[in-house]
Amino acid sequence: MPARELKCPRCGESVHIYRNPIPTVDVIIEVGDKVVLISRKNPPYGWAIPGGFVDYGESLEEAAVREAREETGLEVKLLEQFYTYSDPERDPRHHTITTVYVAKAERVPKGLDDAREAGLFSDGGLPEPLVFDHGQILKDYFEYKRTGRKPQPRTSHSPK
């Protein structure tokens, strides 16, 4: 999307307004052979992988650990960076780019912060509806667990 121009009310000079994607993180938390999902308190409603926005001055890894703790009460150990999803349509609220991590935890999750509830789920037993692009992310993750192959770059989306 091209930059918009506004006029400065004091001097009349043009000021360019740029819109950039917002960085987020999601954390696929493994507890035994299941993964943690949360039921969202806020729109869009549905089930989601724990995650959220990266705070200014925070690394992606710090954000992933913080979001996991805030939404599930779990202290996680990050195992790996899984994949980055950037479809401009992945979040109906904003253009976000999420970096997904795989992590391990050992306790039963609780729904905290903006999570109504949290649960443990396995492939073939996922709750509905899944929000954002989390159905695709989980499909990619379970395929990776079966085959060891991570997702390949998707280039079918064109900029608006």
Side-chain angles (χ1 to χ4, degrees):
M1 175 173 283
R4 289 187 357 214
E5 260 188 35
L6 298 175
K7 296 284 183 191
C8 174
R10 293 184 76 205
C11 68
E13 289 290 321
S14 292
V15 177
H16 294 283
I17 306 295
Y18 294 93
R19 293 178 61 194
N20 295 310
I22 301 167
T24 65
V25 292
D26 289 300
V27 188
I28 299 171
I29 304 170
E30 299 173 339
V31 177
D33 61 349
K34 296 187 177 190
V35 297
V36 176
L37 297 177
I38 61 159
S39 175
R40 292 176 49 82
K41 276 186 192 175
N42 303 308
Y45 299 111
W47 288 89
I49 300 165
F53 298 101
V54 178
D55 290 340
Y56 187 83
E58 183 176 52
S59 72
L60 294 173
E61 294 80 7
E62 290 166 336
V65 170
R66 175 184 54 77
E67 285 288 346
R69 184 182 334 101
E70 286 177 358
E71 293 185 349
T72 69
L74 296 174
E75 293 298 328
V76 300
K77 178 179 188 234
L78 297 181
L79 302 175
E80 64 181 303
Q81 189 179 102
F82 178 60
Y83 193 75
T84 298
Y85 294 82
S86 63
D87 179 353
E89 304 296 321
R90 66 174 304 276
D91 184 332
R93 304 165 302 171
H94 317 281
H95 177 183
T96 62
I97 297 173
T98 192
T99 300
V100 180
Y101 287 88
V102 177
K104 278 227 181 279
E106 299 196 4
R107 295 184 300 117
V108 175
K110 295 180 253 179
L112 303 172
D113 193 30
D114 57 354
R116 182 176 318 209
E117 65 180 298
L120 295 170
F121 301 91
S122 56
D123 191 14
L126 298 176
E128 290 188 11
L130 290 168
V131 296
F132 310 117
D133 58 351
H134 291 190
Q136 182 64 55
I137 293 171
L138 290 167
K139 179 180 173 189
D140 292 346
Y141 164 77
F142 287 119
E143 176 71 14
Y144 169 62
K145 292 303 277 187
R146 279 190 297 278
T147 67
R149 289 190 307 268
K150 287 192 177 182
Q152 295 300 304
R154 296 172 176 95
T155 57
S156 61
H157 303 288
S158 59
K160 293 183 175 180

